[in-house]
């Protein structure tokens, strides 16, 4: 199933989530949060099996073109329009250890900033050869990579003139349900980032920087595609004998 | 200066946004061909053990309007209380039951629905049994960090009364926000993001 049969599975509880590192539920500059943010404190409890376990996906669910958004929706012989890029990185935990076998799903607007979704009414054109979704499974060293086109920035109805910086959405599974995470990757040098109410919800500038992928010339393909590096850090879990202590002992 | 700790910070969360379906359930929004089928749509096959049930409801915002653009994932034990996970050390879970499901709110009505089985009981770390429950994770536009909650079962009053997590809730009037209400083989579980009936969410 997980491809790690020679390794004992980790079974310990996760480190508590540093909720101050994440955006708070209510970030009024992002108006939709006003009516969708819980107002009472979340209740904390020690992880049980329900939080420490999570679904596992094997390589059998990954199709040949799942990590190639340039071609996975294109007609035969055609390809999506826009600047060709490679996005790559590693999935690590808070201890810096690679997390293998993690399913990563990603979605994005096309090069013009338009999503293939009926709720998106932006006047920019759809690309008939671009669907905008893909997925990958992290390898033994936690690495993943996919090929796509660089998404365009787009306006959104929040303020009268708000624009989202170019970004790719990521949804990541870990080894436990408590690690489940959705985030967005931004691109180095984008001047829209500092105007963005969504990254603006992060109180620590270093947290914003953690979401910005640098141009990575070492991974570009000459005359073909540039590359951006985006490492993902999931919650770490206790795993040594000293740390696995039954509650109350 | 002491040595630096070799720890990293978790990647910060960002909202799933309004187009989350493209990534999580592309076929649901008419993007066909990229993935043969949307993940999490079928949780079991005919051979799965346990009582067939449905779980359905709405997620309401602070005005009482249902969210029509949210995606919900559930994770639960099989009928024997085992999880299909490499971290499960107590036995082997039913191979015909996935334990995990994913559903979008209906774009018109906002109703979400899962067809699953009723889970068995799972122990708390100290050995006490928890009431049967399903873990939920809710993401949507306007939700900055995915919301975790649990559904317990209205026909398990005795198990619920002994559940270590339900017992931890100081404001007892909030406990019913975590109980799905049974009608036949279906459980109704509405989630309120705000207001007097705000659902208990967990920091897990
Ligand atoms: Fe977006």
């Amino acid at each position: 199933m997980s491809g790690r049969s020679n390794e004992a599975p980790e079974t310990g509880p996760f480190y508590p989530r540093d909720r101050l590192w994440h955006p708070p539920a209510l970030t009024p500059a992002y108006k939709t949060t006003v009516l969708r943010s819980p107002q009472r404190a979340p209740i904390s409890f020690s992880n049980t099996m329900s939080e420490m376990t999570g679904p596992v996906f094997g390589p059998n669910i990954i199709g040949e073109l799942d990590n190639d958004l340039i071609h996975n929706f294109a007609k035969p012989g055609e390809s999506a329009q826009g600047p060709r890029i490679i996005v790559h990185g590693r999935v690590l935990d808070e201890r810096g250890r690679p997390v293998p076998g993690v399913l990563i799903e990603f979605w994005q607007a096309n090069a013009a900033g338009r999503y293939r979704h009926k709720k998106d009414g932006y006047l920019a054109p759809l690309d008939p050869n671009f669907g905008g979704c893909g997925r990958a499974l992290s390898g033994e060293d936690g690495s993943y990579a996919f090929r796509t086109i660089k998404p365009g920035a787009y306006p959104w109805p929040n303020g009268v003139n708000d624009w989202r910086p170019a970004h790719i959405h990521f949804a990541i599974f870990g080894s436990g349900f408590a690690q489940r995470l959705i985030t967005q990757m931004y691109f180095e040098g984008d001047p829209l980032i500092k105007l963005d109410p969504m990254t603006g919800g992060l109180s620590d500038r270093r947290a914003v920087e953690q979401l910005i992928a640098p141009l990575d010339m070492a991974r570009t393909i000459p005359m073909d595609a540039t590359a951006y590096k985006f490492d993902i850090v999931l919650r770490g879990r206790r795993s040594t004998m000293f740390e696995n202590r039954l509650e109350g002992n | 200066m002491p040595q630096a700790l070799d720890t990293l910070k978790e990647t910060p969360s960002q909202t799933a946004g309004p187009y989350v379906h493209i990534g999580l359930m592309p076929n649901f929004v008419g993007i066909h061909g990229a993935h043969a089928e949307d993940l999490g749509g079928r949780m079991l096959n005919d051979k799965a053990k346990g009582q067939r049930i449905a779980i359905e409801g709405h997620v309401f915002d602070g005005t009482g309007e249902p969210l029509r653009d949210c995606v919900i994932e559930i994770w639960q034990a099989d009928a024997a209380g085992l999880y299909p996970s490499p971290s499960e050390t107590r036995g082997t879970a039913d191979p015909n039951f996935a334990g995990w499901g994913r559903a979008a709110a209906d774009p018109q009505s906002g109703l979400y629905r899962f067809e699953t089985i009723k889970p068995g009981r799972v122990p708390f770390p100290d050995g006490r049994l928890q009431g049967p429950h399903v873990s939920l994770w809710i993401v949507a536009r306007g939700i900055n960090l995915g919301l975790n909650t649990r559904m317990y079962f209205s026909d398990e009053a005795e198990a619920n009364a002994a559940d270590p997590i339900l017992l931890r809730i100081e404001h007892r009037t909030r406990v019913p926000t975590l109980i799905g209400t049974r009608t036949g083989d279906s459980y109704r579980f509405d989630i309120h993001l705000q207001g007097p009936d705000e659902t208990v969410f967990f920091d897990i």
Side-chain angles (χ1 to χ4, degrees), chain A residues 107-109 115 154 164 167 169 184, chain B residues 16-19:
Chain A
W107 66 102
Q108 62 168 88
Y115 284 95
Y154 58 84
R164 293 304 324 285
H167 61 276
H169 296 265
Q184 301 181 31
Chain B
Y19 312 122

Side-chain angles (χ1 to χ4, degrees), chain A residues 18 34 50 180 183 186 233, chain B residues 9 11-12 14 73 83 133 194:
Chain A
D18 179 359
V34 174
S50 307
R180 199 80 179 83
T183 190
Y186 303 93
V233 181
Chain B
K9 297 299 287 183
T11 296
Q14 294 275 270
E73 292 182 2
Y83 283 101
H133 63 273
Q194 296 179 348

Side-chain angles (χ1 to χ4, degrees), chain A residues 59-76:
Chain A
N60 55 311
I61 68 149
I62 303 290
E64 199 186 337
L65 292 178
D66 280 9
N67 66 349
D68 184 358
L69 282 69
I70 293 179
H71 295 108
N72 71 0
F73 192 77
K75 294 176 202 60

Side-chain angles (χ1 to χ4, degrees), chain A residues 77-101:
Chain A
E78 299 186 15
S79 57
Q81 292 182 37
R84 297 160 64 90
I85 61 170
I86 308 285
V87 177
H88 76 97
R90 287 195 301 158
V91 184
L92 305 168
D93 70 13
E94 288 170 290
R95 290 173 156 185
R97 298 181 297 194
V99 191

